Amino acid sequence: MSFRMSLPSTRRSVLLTFATATSISLSGCLSGDLTSNVEEILNEDEDRQLLFIVLNNNTTDEQQIDVRVEKDGEPVVEASYELPPAGTSRADVAGTTPASQYMIEPNWSDEPAAYGIRVRYPESDSWVEKTVAEGDHEHVGAWVTLWPTPEVGIIGYPESETEVAEGDRAERRVTVPEVEDWIESFLEDQGEREYHVESG
């Protein structure tokens, strides 16, 4: 499933709609099928640019999640994060983004690569694994939800509307420049949140 939205009239509206719709739209489609023209768009290349990883605690309890990200087989993120429950007041934590969400600073690279993302609860012996190759465009984001079990949704974003498949043109697709604006705004609004609890 690809994330789509109707384009609001202001930049702030774009960013707010993006953040809200992304968190909702993945609830039933974390392993959606790729579009029919993926091979055309990507020339069968499995490398992607990983734009962001957002952790989303949609439970009523505080949750800890282990996150491991590999780029071309080399670890770039090995850390654990503790997120407050959904519904936590923003007044109780740093920043103004939803208290139960956290964006991992995307400082691994701005070049396409073969990324693998693994998540688990600390008490679990098994990892949930996804690769960025599941995204239907060269630029992707990862949305991690924590209930009922950790899940990783890979979302592809076109660089421009010209990359959108003909069948998708009825609805507005969020493009890479809009996502990059949202990332910058999200990180700024997230503030100095202390959700990182240890490194593996």
Side-chain angles (χ1 to χ4, degrees):
M1 174 175 174
S2 299
F3 169 61
R4 302 176 176 88
M5 74 174 190
S6 298
L7 186 62
S9 57
T10 67
R11 177 178 178 275
R12 176 58 65 180
S13 295
V14 169
L15 300 177
L16 290 174
T17 301
F18 179 89
T20 303
T22 300
S23 65
I24 295 170
S25 67
L26 289 171
S27 60
C29 55
L30 294 175
S31 301
D33 294 333
L34 302 182
T35 58
S36 58
N37 68 335
V38 171
E39 290 79 10
E40 250 177 63
I41 294 172
L42 300 174
N43 297 318
E44 299 183 350
D45 185 356
E46 293 189 353
D47 287 357
R48 306 284 190 275
Q49 181 183 350
L50 180 58
L51 298 171
F52 66 85
I53 300 174
V54 170
L55 310 178
N56 179 47
N57 182 8
N58 54 338
T59 76
T60 56
D61 298 310
E62 186 174 77
Q63 297 285 353
Q64 186 170 323
I65 187 81
D66 295 335
V67 181
R68 305 291 181 264
V69 181
E70 292 185 352
K71 175 189 172 189
D72 295 328
E74 296 296 323
V76 292
V77 175
E78 291 185 284
S80 296
Y81 302 88
E82 196 167 76
L83 281 74
T88 298
S89 171
R90 297 180 192 191
D92 294 337
V93 297
T96 58
T97 55
S100 59
Q101 294 178 0
Y102 181 78
M103 181 181 288
I104 299 173
E105 183 98 29
N107 56 9
W108 35 81
S109 174
D110 59 0
E111 295 296 324
Y115 288 96
I117 302 167
R118 307 165 71 208
V119 298
R120 70 175 180 183
Y121 290 130
E123 66 273 11
S124 174
D125 292 329
S126 61
W127 294 87
V128 175
E129 302 181 352
K130 288 288 182 77
T131 69
V132 293
E134 296 186 35
D136 61 354
H137 286 278
E138 185 178 356
H139 303 80
V140 302
W143 192 271
V144 180
T145 54
L146 306 189
W147 185 88
T149 58
E151 295 284 355
V152 182
I154 303 296
I155 316 159
Y157 302 101
E159 289 192 52
S160 68
E161 281 298 291
T162 59
E163 276 193 26
V164 178
E166 197 62 41
D168 289 341
R169 293 191 187 280
E171 295 187 58
R172 175 74 162 86
R173 287 290 298 269
V174 176
T175 60
V176 171
E178 291 168 332
V179 176
E180 290 173 338
D181 283 348
W182 174 74
I183 293 168
E184 181 181 351
S185 178
F186 193 102
L187 287 171
E188 180 180 340
D189 293 344
Q190 178 170 275
E192 299 299 320
R193 216 163 259 192
E194 296 294 334
Y195 287 3
H196 177 266
V197 291
E198 62 183 49
S199 294

